[in-house]
């Protein structure tokens, strides 16, 4: 599933925003995930979990997911011209 947005938080967490319906299709407890950049495997995620936000009900089509996996190199990636996907292992 395509990653729509990425946020890099100061506390070391990274937040990936994906389509809620696509995530629901793939989700299962203890699922393993990997990120792909333009079709190539980029990095295995150590952890991935839903992030609860106070204003989450504003956009019911998207869901934020948090990970502690270091993704700082993706800060330079423009999501408009590059494809970042989240896939199950």
């Amino acid at each position: 599933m395509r990653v729509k947005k990425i946020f890099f938080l100061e506390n070391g967490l990274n937040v990936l925003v994906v389509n809620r319906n696509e995530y629901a299709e793939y989700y299962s407890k203890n699922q393993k995930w990997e990120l792909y950049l333009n079709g190539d495997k980029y990095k295995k995620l150590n952890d991935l979990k839903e992030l609860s936000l106070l204003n989450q009900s504003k956009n019911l089509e998207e869901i934020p997911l948090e990970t502690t996996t270091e993704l700082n190199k993706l800060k330079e990636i423009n999501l408009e011209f590059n494809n970042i996907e989240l896939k199950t292992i």
Side-chain angles (χ1 to χ4, degrees):
M1 77 194 87
R2 186 176 177 126
V3 175
K4 296 181 174 189
K5 301 171 195 161
I6 302 176
F7 299 97
F8 303 93
L9 307 182
E10 290 182 15
N11 63 0
L13 288 177
N14 300 296
V15 178
L16 309 173
V17 179
V18 298
N19 180 283
R20 181 179 297 278
N21 292 331
E22 287 182 40
Y23 178 71
E25 286 179 35
Y26 290 100
Y27 176 78
S28 69
K29 196 171 185 173
N30 300 321
Q31 184 72 49
K32 304 283 187 208
W33 298 93
E34 290 179 330
L35 275 182
Y36 283 73
L37 176 58
N38 296 324
D40 295 325
K41 182 178 172 183
Y42 176 72
K43 189 172 274 199
K44 181 178 177 182
L45 299 178
N46 299 328
D47 55 349
L48 190 70
K49 63 181 181 178
E50 293 180 29
L51 179 63
S52 297
L53 301 174
L54 294 176
N55 296 326
Q56 192 167 344
S57 62
K58 286 184 178 179
N59 188 342
L60 297 176
E61 294 179 8
E62 296 179 342
I63 184 169
L65 306 169
E66 70 177 40
T67 181
T68 58
T69 304
E70 191 275 312
L71 302 174
N72 285 334
K73 291 182 181 177
L74 294 179
K75 285 182 179 179
E76 307 300 320
I77 299 295
N78 184 334
L79 291 177
E80 186 177 344
F81 302 110
N82 292 279
N83 186 25
I84 298 177
E85 292 181 293
L86 188 58
K87 296 184 180 184
T88 59
I89 297 175

